[in-house]
Amino acid sequence: MESKTTKNPKLKIILAIRSLNFGGAERQWILLAKELTKHKEIELHLCTLYGGGELESEIHTIPHTCLEKKGRGDFSFLLRYYKLIKTFNPDCIYAFMPEMNIFSLLCGKLQRNACKVIFGFRSSAINVSKLPFASKLYFYTQKFLSRYADAIICNSQDAINFYKSKGYFMKKAFVVHNGIDTKRFCPSDSSALRAELGIAQDCFVFGISARMHAVKDYPLLALVAKEFLESLGSKKDKVAFVSLGKSNLEILHTCTELLAPYSMKFLGAKNAMEHYYPLFDCIVSTSYTESFSNSIAEGMACGCVPIVSDVGESKVIANFNQDSYQFCFTPKDSKGALECLKSLYVLKNSAQFTKLKEQARAHIIKEFSPKNMTEKTLEILKKKL
């Protein structure tokens, strides 16, 4: 029997995800979709469960089917998905996230000419016991079906280790690091934003970009910030700490108390992050669990010098062989984090610090480009056909 790739010289791919609301996974999905369209040998079709996401306008030039799932109890969309797969006749489906992984496997493998189905895992260190019932059901269903996926693509080795520890079948798992759009995330003049926020132009800014969740360990940053500011004495006004990310009132209250009598600028969630990263001189990550941190890489692409906890791929992202300061510390180690901040701060206003900013961006361009991500993804997809 002739293979589909023999009959059709183009590699036909369905790229599927739940929705296109704002999120790290969704942005990676869109970035991958745009990169795949640059390959003339690929025929791409996008598929989502729900329509109307804030990011949907970014894919308007790419063929896209919304399955119009009506709610949690609606499964009529499965017939529509089955028909889409039958009509498009893809060589493979690459899905992101549990729901689409499961539905893609069910609808893809039931076809007369079953296509390959690739699962995409975008997280790790999930507290399964605290998941809502529906999410918990998807987690365990995905676990059962993991051995039937033709491959599993994770964005970090930490994710592979996590799912393996939960009993998932991970023998066909691969790591493909996220790609960063370095045209969007790039250095820019932050003087107007500094003036708007009341931050002096000569002020050194330590910034964090993360939602206020327990695993991001905001309290540790608050504690370290206070100790660091206290160590500066009369020069403390020359340093600012800024936070970007969705707020949590309980964590915010804890941080405010820990920081007193000092403060941090909590700016909340922002859509156009590329306008805020250039405000930072240093991007800090204090997480005690992480898969692949987009915010570290995006910040570095904007010229921020990184200081990170050694979790997930954070150390890999932040390491460009710099030896002029300590850039990495053990998770939950406030003393180690403080030493990192101090070791970098002494380099402020120096030619060496300017070079570090340039090297940080160059590292992201070289190691985490959308092109690299796409080529590694295609290598896996083609290997499984």
Side-chain angles (χ1 to χ4, degrees), residues 225-239 262 342 345:
K226 180 177 181 178
E227 292 185 16
F228 181 78
L229 291 169
E230 286 178 340
S231 71
L232 296 179
S234 60
K235 297 180 181 180
K236 60 181 177 295
D237 292 335
K238 294 295 184 180
V239 173
Y262 306 105
K342 287 181 176 179
Y345 184 67

Side-chain angles (χ1 to χ4, degrees), residues 84-325:
L84 168 65
I85 296 169
K86 183 178 180 181
T87 301
F88 185 67
N89 192 27
D91 295 291
C92 69
I93 302 171
Y94 178 22
F96 273 38
M97 319 281 270
E99 286 174 88
M100 283 310 268
N101 287 339
I102 294 166
F103 301 144
S104 297
L105 187 72
L106 293 177
C107 294
K109 293 300 185 183
L110 287 175
Q111 302 286 330
R112 183 178 178 183
N113 294 318
C115 61
K116 302 294 184 181
V117 178
I118 315 298
F119 281 6
F121 292 173
R122 315 299 302 177
S123 58
S124 63
I126 300 166
N127 190 336
V128 182
S129 65
K130 291 188 177 181
L131 289 176
F133 175 77
S135 298
K136 197 176 293 185
L137 181 62
Y138 284 130
F139 183 88
Y140 287 112
T141 302
Q142 184 179 244
K143 173 184 174 180
F144 173 75
L145 295 175
S146 60
R147 67 178 53 254
Y148 301 106
D150 293 287
I152 296 173
I153 296 178
C154 300
N155 61 1
S156 70
Q157 183 61 47
D158 189 67
I160 291 180
N161 296 339
F162 168 75
Y163 284 102
K164 187 175 181 180
S165 73
K166 295 299 181 182
Y168 275 65
F169 186 81
M170 300 299 287
K171 291 184 178 180
K172 294 178 283 186
F174 301 85
V175 173
V176 176
H177 288 142
N178 289 355
I180 303 301
D181 183 351
T182 53
K183 292 182 179 178
R184 176 188 171 198
F185 294 99
C186 59
S188 64
D189 184 6
S190 66
S191 57
L193 183 57
R194 281 178 175 249
E196 179 185 330
L197 296 173
I199 299 174
Q201 299 300 323
D202 62 346
C203 197
F204 191 95
V205 178
F206 290 101
I208 182 172
S209 176
R211 72 190 191 281
M212 281 191 184
H213 186 281
V215 300
K216 303 301 181 180
D217 210 351
Y218 264 86
L220 181 136
L221 180 60
L223 180 65
V224 171
K226 180 177 181 178
E227 292 185 16
F228 181 78
L229 291 169
E230 286 178 340
S231 71
L232 296 179
S234 60
K235 297 180 181 180
K236 60 181 177 295
D237 292 335
K238 294 295 184 180
V239 173
F241 286 83
V242 176
S243 161
L244 299 171
K246 186 177 180 181
S247 295
N248 173 292
L249 291 179
E250 184 179 347
I251 295 175
L252 180 59
H253 178 70
T254 299
C255 291
T256 302
E257 287 193 330
L258 287 171
L259 280 162
Y262 306 105
S263 63
M264 183 183 301
K265 290 185 181 295
F266 295 99
L267 303 184
K270 300 293 180 183
N271 294 334
M273 298 294 289
E274 63 272 23
H275 299 314
Y276 288 85
Y277 285 127
L279 175 69
F280 301 167
D281 292 293
C282 169
I283 186 158
V284 182
S285 176
T286 51
S287 300
Y288 56 77
T289 181
E290 195 73 70
S291 184
F292 185 103
S293 173
N294 284 341
S295 64
I296 297 170
E298 290 168 355
M300 291 173 66
C302 290
C304 307
V305 181
I307 288 177
V308 303
S309 54
D310 188 5
V311 291
E313 304 297 277
S314 296
K315 187 175 181 179
V316 175
I317 298 167
N319 185 7
F320 49 91
N321 296 317
Q322 64 270 50
D323 57 8
S324 54
Y325 77 101

